[in-house]
Amino acid sequence: MRKYQLNLIEDEFATHYFGRERLFFQLFKEHQKANGELKFITQKQISYITKKVEVLKIHQLIQKQLGKIKGFKAENGAYSIELSGKLSTAKLEVFQDLITIDAQGSYEAETAFFEVLRKCESSFLALDLEHQRYGWLKPIKERKFI
């Protein structure tokens, strides 16, 4: 099973650390393992670099974009998709500080959620802490100065 946490990174940090996403990953991984004062410090750092998710906007967008797909369900503020006869499943939950996605099987179902979310905000960072995978849902284009 793949477990993603999607954090909305402040635009200035997303731009500045483009190409160095590993540093964000290390911070979130350290926070997950930390205890006591270190947990408090890493939480403050995470709060500083992230912004709140517009929950209502996300709910509306998901309902609008995915509501008509066969295999899509909405229950108690959580969404699930089963595609290709249960060969690809994903469940998305929206919180103010992050969004979580639990997925199994092929990548088809989670990709459907990722595609909707990348249209909503440009600086979502997806982290799979268990499998050490991370990346932007919508990669930031580097500016070329002439």
Side-chain angles (χ1 to χ4, degrees):
M1 178 177 249
R2 297 176 299 278
K3 292 179 180 275
Y4 299 96
Q5 67 179 46
L6 283 77
N7 294 276
L8 193 52
I9 305 295
E10 289 283 355
D11 293 337
E12 69 178 280
F13 294 108
T15 304
H16 183 74
Y17 286 96
F18 175 73
R20 297 180 287 175
E21 297 81 18
R22 173 183 44 81
L23 298 172
F24 288 126
F25 175 78
Q26 288 171 337
L27 173 63
F28 285 95
K29 187 74 171 174
E30 190 171 322
H31 177 69
Q32 182 187 42
K33 294 188 290 185
N35 294 315
E37 191 174 346
L38 181 58
K39 187 86 162 177
F40 176 75
I41 292 168
T42 55
Q43 181 57 53
K44 286 191 81 75
Q45 290 173 329
I46 289 170
S47 295
Y48 187 72
I49 64 167
T50 58
K51 54 185 175 180
K52 297 285 182 213
V53 174
E54 292 183 47
V55 176
L56 183 59
K57 182 179 175 183
I58 300 287
H59 284 296
Q60 290 172 337
L61 197 60
I62 289 171
Q63 289 280 2
K64 182 180 177 189
Q65 299 284 321
L66 300 175
K68 294 183 176 109
I69 291 179
K70 186 180 179 210
F72 175 80
K73 289 185 210 152
E75 297 174 19
N76 302 326
Y79 304 97
S80 61
I81 298 178
E82 289 182 358
L83 299 173
S84 304
K86 294 191 178 185
L87 293 175
S88 180
T89 63
K91 180 182 178 185
L92 178 140
E93 293 180 278
V94 182
F95 305 100
Q96 279 222 302
D97 52 347
L98 79 145
I99 295 172
T100 62
I101 296 178
D102 295 336
Q104 285 183 286
S106 72
Y107 295 95
E108 195 178 355
E110 68 205 62
T111 301
F113 284 133
F114 289 156
E115 287 299 320
V116 171
L117 293 171
R118 72 188 291 182
K119 292 175 188 172
C120 181
E121 288 281 353
S122 62
S123 58
F124 269 119
L125 182 68
L127 302 161
D128 181 354
L129 298 173
E130 189 178 322
H131 298 103
Q132 299 192 11
R133 298 176 62 211
Y134 51 90
W136 300 107
L137 291 191
K138 185 175 186 175
I140 300 158
K141 301 216 180 351
E142 287 192 64
R143 291 187 208 143
K144 295 200 172 28
F145 297 104
I146 298 173

